[in-house]
Amino acid sequence: MFITNESEKEFRFGDSGPKYLMKGPRMNFAVVQFQPGEDFTAHYHNVMEEDFFILEGEINIVVDGVVHHLKQGDFIHIEPSEVHYCFNPYKSRVKMISTLAPYQQVDKVEVEDYSF
């Protein structure tokens, strides 16, 4: 058992990207934030499934070439091998929860030159 506070962790890219509150041993749990105009490289996972729950703002998440417009309160589940790409074309930041399970130390495969 452990307790942590979001304020004790940092986003990967300063004020954006994932902020992991827990990495393993069975799952990852992160707060993810994107500023207007930001995106995250298209990728997929071989073993882990990924979930996003939108806390505030809105974002587009492309899964296997289909654009999904998500807003506060929306939830999306992404299966292993589904290519996904997140981008924020909106005027305000988006903040969301991300979970990845089952935990794998390395399970992200980036997709170069992704188009949809």
Side-chain angles (χ1 to χ4, degrees):
M1 204 257 0
F2 72 92
I3 297 172
T4 191
N5 187 286
E6 179 186 354
S7 66
E8 298 169 2
K9 307 292 182 172
E10 295 183 7
F11 290 107
R12 183 181 295 165
F13 307 113
D15 67 351
S16 65
K19 177 193 289 191
Y20 287 97
L21 303 184
M22 182 176 75
K23 287 193 92 165
R26 288 172 290 286
M27 69 176 287
N28 290 346
F29 186 98
V31 177
V32 181
Q33 184 167 280
F34 290 99
Q35 301 300 326
E38 290 185 328
D39 66 352
F40 198 68
T41 306
H43 64 280
Y44 63 91
H45 308 279
N46 289 308
V47 176
M48 295 189 294
E49 55 190 44
E50 187 163 15
D51 297 316
F52 292 102
F53 178 73
I54 313 306
L55 297 172
E56 61 184 61
E58 53 190 321
I59 191 165
N60 289 347
I61 299 180
V62 182
V63 180
D64 285 344
V66 178
V67 179
H68 303 276
H69 173 235
L70 302 171
K71 60 189 181 325
Q72 183 177 359
D74 287 340
F75 172 87
I76 187 170
H77 173 78
I78 301 166
E79 291 286 332
S81 79
E82 290 182 321
V83 176
H84 48 289
Y85 167 67
C86 302
F87 66 102
N88 180 3
Y90 304 102
K91 294 181 180 180
S92 61
R93 76 172 185 180
V94 64
K95 191 171 187 179
M96 53 193 177
I97 296 298
S98 168
T99 61
L100 287 153
Y103 176 76
Q104 303 289 302
Q105 189 170 8
V106 178
D107 187 40
K108 179 179 170 186
V109 180
E110 292 190 353
V111 177
E112 294 184 29
D113 301 320
Y114 184 68
S115 61
F116 55 92

